[in-house]
Amino acid sequence: MIEKSEKTPDQAIAELADRIAPVASETISLANAAGRILSQPIHADRDSPAADVSAMDGYAIRLTDLGRDEPLPVSGEIAPGHPTPDVQPGHAMRVFTGGIVPQDYDLVVKREETQESPDSIRLLPATANCRKGENIRRQGENASQGSAILQAGTTLHAGAIAAAANFGASQVDVSRVLQITILVTGDELHDVDAEVQPWQLRDSNGPTLNALLSGKNWLHVRCVDRVVDNQQGLAERLAAAIEDSDAVILTGGVSMGDYDFVPDAIGQNDGEVIFHRLPIRPGKPILGAVTAAGKPIIGLPGNPVSAAVGCRRFVLPLLSRQAGKRDWLPPAPRVMLDDPGTRTLPLHWFRLVQINDQGRVSLVPSKGSGDLVSMAASDGFTEQPPNSTGPGPWPFWRWQD
């Protein structure tokens, strides 16, 4: 078994993910399902297309009509949303995009490849190379009846909603919305609008984590509370948060100092620590635990850059896993760094970067994990493996996915 201090970020995330219990599911209307996560697949209730249909405006003809010099009579037209009229032997039929092509016809010629008259068409030379099935979308070529068109774990984005609607899924089974509590610890922290002394800080971690977790319809931050540095008080507040929430995120108090009460408070609530103190910078003191019921508890460092990086890199994937996402830990896109320098670290190094309007990625000068000015100037961070150097390509984690 890998020692706690030796786990890579992905190994630590995977080990905790295996212990997390997914939330239950519920049935809701498709009209309210945007951004939710499917808990059951959606199947096609009929073939798609449901019949052979025209891929463009034109004329349905038979193969034997190709190459003829004399005009081809046209009888009737086929419009989308209407049944096909009776077919007359030896006649073409005008057809619009999406109209059903009767089995009597072999292909559709484009309207612009014909010379049209009121009751007939003359095929232009461009049609000589047409083949059977040309410009016809065949029945079932997108999906056959009964096939799964959306898998469990799919996030219902606009494209998925469109597919669900097309196949009549007016009600869908989705994961229940995750309820999250954020607890920010530290005697030094005060409200954002407070007048503060040099030894005091305005709380930035609460708003930062709330921003990183907001805007997702599958997740709800039910509260952001501050807790003073008192072990019993923290243990009691943590107990209430575990009872009321699906996951608890804490900042501060996770290291090994005299006022770092989070590990003991987790122990008092029968939480099992899965990882603590990973070889990463910033954020080494990060802690991941789980309750007996499978609820995750993540302790992030109090330094604001560390907290933000830990939330984006660790918390979001784990919550995605708890919510039932299939792609809960997708591979990060990789980028090349301009002027990366030659410095190396024996740790997984998260480096703040910004992307310019040409797509070039450069490091943001930073004074450390308390430098909020540098974090504000960044678009995200890269992840550089231990003892590595050079421009990359390195995994890139954008603040907002």
Side-chain angles (χ1 to χ4, degrees):
M1 180 176 178
I2 299 171
E3 294 297 326
K4 291 178 182 177
S5 62
E6 296 177 352
K7 293 174 185 172
T8 68
D10 280 346
Q11 287 169 336
I13 291 169
E15 186 172 349
L16 182 52
D18 285 343
R19 304 289 299 275
I20 293 175
V23 294
S25 64
E26 61 184 356
T27 302
I28 63 173
S29 70
L30 184 64
N32 296 318
R36 300 291 294 275
I37 299 171
L38 277 179
S39 59
Q40 295 294 329
I42 294 176
H43 295 87
D45 67 335
R46 61 176 185 167
D47 290 341
S48 174
D52 291 350
V53 297
S54 179
M56 60 185 55
D57 294 347
Y59 293 88
I61 67 172
R62 299 170 178 82
L63 276 175
T64 53
D65 295 324
L66 290 176
R68 62 185 292 169
D69 293 327
E70 66 275 13
L72 180 64
V74 175
S75 60
E77 65 179 27
I78 310 167
H82 296 274
T84 57
D86 294 334
V87 175
Q88 296 187 36
H91 287 227
M93 190 172 290
R94 188 177 182 185
V95 61
F96 296 90
T97 303
I100 293 178
V101 179
Q103 291 184 351
D104 303 67
Y105 293 111
D106 299 310
L107 70 154
V108 172
V109 294
K110 300 175 184 178
R111 186 177 183 185
E112 57 267 30
E113 293 179 347
T114 68
Q115 185 179 46
E116 297 176 299
S117 298
D119 298 315
S120 66
I121 56 170
R122 185 181 295 277
L123 300 178
L124 298 180
T127 63
N129 295 322
C130 289
R131 298 289 183 266
K132 184 175 182 178
E134 191 138 346
N135 300 320
I136 295 176
R137 295 182 55 228
R138 292 301 186 187
Q139 178 177 345
E141 69 176 36
N142 298 332
S144 58
Q145 182 179 7
S147 63
I149 53 103
L150 290 172
Q151 300 289 342
T154 299
T155 302
L156 289 169
H157 52 67
I161 292 286
N166 180 69
F167 292 102
S170 60
Q171 301 285 312
V172 291
D173 295 324
V174 296
S175 298
R176 179 176 55 75
V177 175
L178 281 179
Q179 301 296 319
I180 309 300
T181 291
I182 297 172
L183 300 179
V184 182
T185 72
D187 292 347
E188 73 277 18
L189 300 177
H190 295 268
D191 290 338
V192 173
D193 58 357
E195 292 291 334
V196 291
Q197 301 299 320
W199 59 86
Q200 298 172 324
L201 294 172
R202 296 185 181 95
D203 172 30
S204 65
N205 283 344
T208 300
L209 269 58
N210 190 37
L212 283 167
L213 299 179
S214 295
K216 298 166 177 56
N217 288 353
W218 52 271
L219 179 156
H220 173 65
V221 178
R222 57 179 304 276
C223 68
V224 181
D225 283 351
R226 287 202 311 276
V227 185
V228 298
D229 291 323
N230 175 278
Q231 182 170 329
Q232 189 56 37
L234 176 59
E236 292 173 0
R237 184 62 188 90
L238 178 58
I242 292 170
E243 179 68 24
D244 295 339
S245 309
D246 299 303
V248 183
I249 315 302
L250 303 100
T251 69
V254 295
S255 191
M256 301 177 69
D258 292 342
Y259 294 95
D260 291 322
F261 299 127
V262 168
D264 287 339
I266 291 173
Q268 285 181 250
N269 284 280
D270 297 323
E272 179 185 354
V273 174
I274 305 301
F275 61 80
H276 190 194
R277 297 180 58 82
L278 297 176
I280 61 176
R281 181 179 292 178
K284 185 174 182 178
I286 190 170
L287 179 152
V290 65
T291 69
K295 295 182 179 183
I297 305 170
I298 312 297
L300 302 172
N303 285 331
V305 178
S306 299
V309 167
C311 184
R312 180 65 185 90
R313 181 66 176 92
F314 293 83
V315 174
L316 269 173
L318 288 165
L319 296 183
S320 297
R321 170 70 172 80
Q322 189 178 19
K325 275 193 179 185
R326 295 176 65 223
D327 57 342
W328 64 273
L329 190 61
R334 291 179 173 265
V335 298
M336 300 292 292
L337 284 178
D338 287 343
D339 300 321
T342 58
R343 184 185 179 191
T344 64
L345 290 178
L347 307 164
H348 295 266
W349 191 7
F350 303 124
R351 309 180 77 182
L352 297 177
V353 296
Q354 58 186 187
I355 304 176
N356 67 19
D357 54 5
Q358 281 81 45
R360 300 188 69 88
V361 182
S362 58
L363 294 170
V364 176
S366 175
K367 302 299 183 182
S369 58
D371 188 351
L372 286 166
V373 176
S374 66
M375 189 167 74
S378 70
D379 296 300
F381 54 91
T382 55
E383 182 175 337
Q384 203 160 308
N387 305 311
S388 62
T389 188
W394 308 122
F396 169 63
W397 304 89
R398 191 181 290 274
W399 289 126
Q400 297 293 344
D401 55 1

